[in-house]
Amino acid sequence: MSSLAHLEAPLANENSLLLAYSGGLDSSVLLHQLVLLRQQRPALQLRAVHIHHGLNPLAESWVAHCQQQCARWQVPLEVVYVRVDARQGGIEAAARTARYQAFRQRLRAGETLLTAQHQDDQSETLLLALKRGSGPAGLAAMPQQHWLGEHRHLRPLLTHSRQQLEEWAHHHQLTWIEDDSNSDARYDRNFLRLEVMPMLNARWPHFSRAVARSAALCGEQEQLLDELLAESLDSLMDASGTLSILPMLEMSDARRFALLRRWIAHQQGSMPSRDALRRVWQEVACSREDAEPRFRLGQNEVRRFRGRLYWLPLLTSLSEHALPWPDRAQPLLLPDGLGQLEQHNNDGLALRPPLSGEAVSVRFQAQGSLHIVGRSGSRPLKKLWQELAVPPWQRDRTPLIFYGDRLAAAADFFVTRDGAPAAPDPAWFVYWRR
């Protein structure tokens, strides 16, 4: 590697770049190369972001090194402090999740993310996928480019070995950080790098290159499957991204699981294991009709309602919340990002004004049978939610307006007889601003 040719083609149409800069060898080489490319293309906008995981006592000195290097090369640097929860799949996976969440939050409009993984990293990633029993998607390891939402993510060093990066760094007299945790073979990736890869490369000098080629071939097969299944997936999904179950009942397991994987990928979910896909199908899609099944995948869950699968964030139950609303002239802020209830001139639900001394409050559950305006007879709230086609996960997150201990209305859905306005008295309009 003696030129910038590996950067010129993939970055030909890129004008704004964000580099994930750890200060290690790989990202230091890539940062230096991008600085040289900027000299050739002065209009190129280049920024760097350094993630402070809080896991190493030397982390503050790494921040100082990165700041000094970026100042020297006139590259704006942002240092981001993240919290790593090792309970989410182990320390390595949790740190990666925290990093990429930070990257997504910092990317600006039109900006492309660059990371500095190289050919040896690709070999380790594929071997880890083999250990997990991954299929072609996992064995495709790390693509040279993919998308983080609306942003491109490029790995321009993926065809270069660590030895080539070291040669570049020594030739240009670069300095970089050596993370002492990289010598700890308790971590799976370090074990491969320290114990396994040297033996494989000694036996087969071009092993890493061959593994990278295998990963690329697996990636091509996955891309072909994406193209072949795209029409089927589109026919199963509605505009909100939910997935129809009925047409999948007659499919083979292989086709069904391939579609489920691509549906989850479409939702920006992490790739599930085969066992997880099997459980999603059996425990959620095929559970009994009156069940309310759910299956957690990371920070999301799959749920079923009326013959469709829903991909949802983990939601907090609000059934125990009770919020007084003493001053109805002021909006009432709702918990957990649900917005607010506010008095309105003529929009929202029309209720009778509360009587003098009748306390107004908002809760998220109600007992007993209810008489609602426009319907004869009484029904339990659960039955009403079913008739109104309200999914189970929204039922205890819908504001219920109480007058004293009597339910007057469910925001956006219905008014009970206890809350109904009586002519000629003026109505009180309550609007749910989400």
Side-chain angles (χ1 to χ4, degrees):
M1 181 170 56
S2 57
S3 72
L4 302 178
H6 60 288
L7 296 181
E8 291 167 352
L11 299 182
N13 298 316
E14 300 293 339
N15 298 311
S16 185
L17 306 174
L18 177 66
L19 172 66
Y21 179 44
S22 69
L25 169 69
D26 317 337
S27 60
S28 295
V29 168
L30 184 52
L31 177 60
H32 179 245
Q33 293 176 346
L34 291 170
V35 170
L36 295 180
L37 183 66
R38 188 179 60 182
Q39 292 175 4
Q40 299 175 14
R41 295 171 49 192
L44 183 67
Q45 298 295 312
L46 175 61
R47 296 193 304 129
V49 58
H50 176 83
I51 307 299
H52 187 303
H53 297 93
L55 299 174
N56 193 300
L58 298 176
E60 287 298 328
S61 66
W62 299 346
V63 169
H65 169 86
C66 293
Q67 290 172 329
Q68 291 169 6
Q69 189 62 75
C70 285
R72 175 186 171 193
W73 286 337
Q74 297 182 329
V75 176
L77 173 70
E78 181 178 3
V79 178
V80 180
Y81 292 78
V82 299
R83 179 176 298 177
V84 177
D85 185 356
R87 296 171 297 179
Q88 298 295 326
I91 194 72
E92 293 174 280
R96 183 184 185 280
T97 298
R99 281 197 302 277
Y100 277 88
Q101 183 177 2
F103 297 154
R104 288 187 180 93
Q105 293 171 347
R106 266 80 190 170
L107 280 162
R108 298 172 181 171
E111 203 166 41
T112 292
L113 176 68
L114 301 185
T115 55
Q117 293 93 346
H118 51 74
Q119 195 174 79
D120 299 60
D121 294 325
Q122 184 77 305
S123 299
E124 296 160 8
T125 300
L126 187 141
L127 291 174
L128 288 171
L130 281 174
K131 176 188 76 74
R132 293 192 299 267
S134 300
L139 297 179
M142 297 180 290
Q144 283 193 294
Q145 68 169 334
H146 74 124
W147 291 87
L148 283 177
E150 60 184 19
H151 299 274
R152 285 180 81 200
H153 173 199
L154 302 178
R155 297 182 174 98
L157 300 183
L158 210 53
T159 58
H160 295 82
S161 68
R162 178 178 174 85
Q163 181 179 346
Q164 290 175 298
L165 302 189
E166 289 176 344
E167 291 170 357
W168 178 285
H170 290 308
H171 178 75
H172 292 279
Q173 299 181 331
L174 304 183
T175 59
W176 62 89
I177 295 165
E178 290 288 359
D179 186 346
D180 57 337
S181 68
N182 288 337
S183 62
D184 188 347
R186 292 177 300 175
Y187 298 120
D188 288 345
R189 187 174 288 274
N190 289 350
F191 170 72
L192 289 174
R193 182 180 302 133
L194 299 171
E195 306 288 342
V196 177
M197 293 302 297
M199 289 191 295
L200 293 174
N201 286 319
R203 176 79 177 189
W204 301 294
H206 301 297
F207 180 80
S208 292
R209 191 182 309 166
V211 167
R213 187 164 58 249
S214 293
L217 290 171
C218 287
E220 290 178 8
Q221 294 300 308
E222 280 298 293
Q223 183 179 349
L224 177 60
L225 277 176
D226 287 343
E227 294 172 3
L228 293 175
L229 293 173
E231 187 175 345
S232 292
L233 185 61
D234 286 344
S235 69
L236 293 170
M237 289 174 53
D238 64 9
S240 62
T242 70
L243 194 71
S244 178
I245 295 172
L246 184 60
M248 302 177 72
L249 293 173
E250 303 301 321
M251 295 180 183
S252 67
D253 286 348
R255 184 179 183 86
R256 184 187 301 125
F257 289 163
L259 285 166
L260 283 172
R261 276 197 298 270
R262 282 156 180 79
W263 175 65
I264 292 171
H266 178 82
Q267 309 290 347
Q268 305 296 318
S270 300
M271 193 55 58
S273 67
R274 182 177 178 83
D275 180 64
L277 288 175
R278 180 187 59 79
R279 293 184 62 188
V280 165
W281 181 251
Q282 293 181 355
E283 299 176 17
V284 181
C286 297
S287 64
R288 69 180 192 273
E289 192 65 28
D290 61 344
E292 296 180 3
R294 57 204 300 178
F295 186 82
R296 178 172 176 172
L297 287 170
Q299 295 304 304
N300 296 86
E301 61 181 358
V302 180
R303 302 189 67 163
R304 186 195 67 193
F305 182 64
R306 297 203 168 183
R308 305 193 71 87
L309 293 179
Y310 288 73
W311 178 264
L312 300 166
L314 295 177
L315 300 174
T316 303
S317 172
L318 302 177
S319 60
E320 301 301 319
H321 280 63
L323 309 173
W325 195 0
D327 184 359
R328 292 180 287 113
Q330 298 298 319
L332 178 67
L333 185 65
L334 300 172
D336 209 33
L338 287 179
Q340 63 185 31
L341 293 181
E342 57 189 47
Q343 185 171 274
H344 203 277
N345 290 332
N346 56 8
D347 197 7
L349 289 179
L351 286 74
R352 67 170 175 83
L355 303 175
S356 176
E358 198 171 35
V360 180
S361 64
V362 170
R363 309 174 197 175
F364 296 89
Q365 66 174 351
Q367 306 297 326
S369 293
L370 305 172
H371 291 82
I372 68 172
V373 174
R375 298 198 185 191
S376 60
S378 62
R379 296 166 177 79
L381 183 57
K382 180 177 180 180
K383 184 68 174 177
L384 284 172
W385 288 142
Q386 292 171 348
E387 293 176 2
L388 294 167
V390 178
W393 53 91
Q394 292 181 8
R395 295 173 188 175
D396 65 356
R397 295 174 62 83
T398 297
L400 304 178
I401 302 168
F402 278 78
Y403 289 173
D405 289 327
R406 293 180 176 274
L407 177 62
D412 278 5
F413 289 104
F414 60 78
V415 176
T416 71
R417 292 182 183 177
D418 289 314
D425 296 335
W428 173 46
F429 286 91
V430 179
Y431 180 73
W432 184 6
R433 188 176 300 280
R434 299 173 186 264

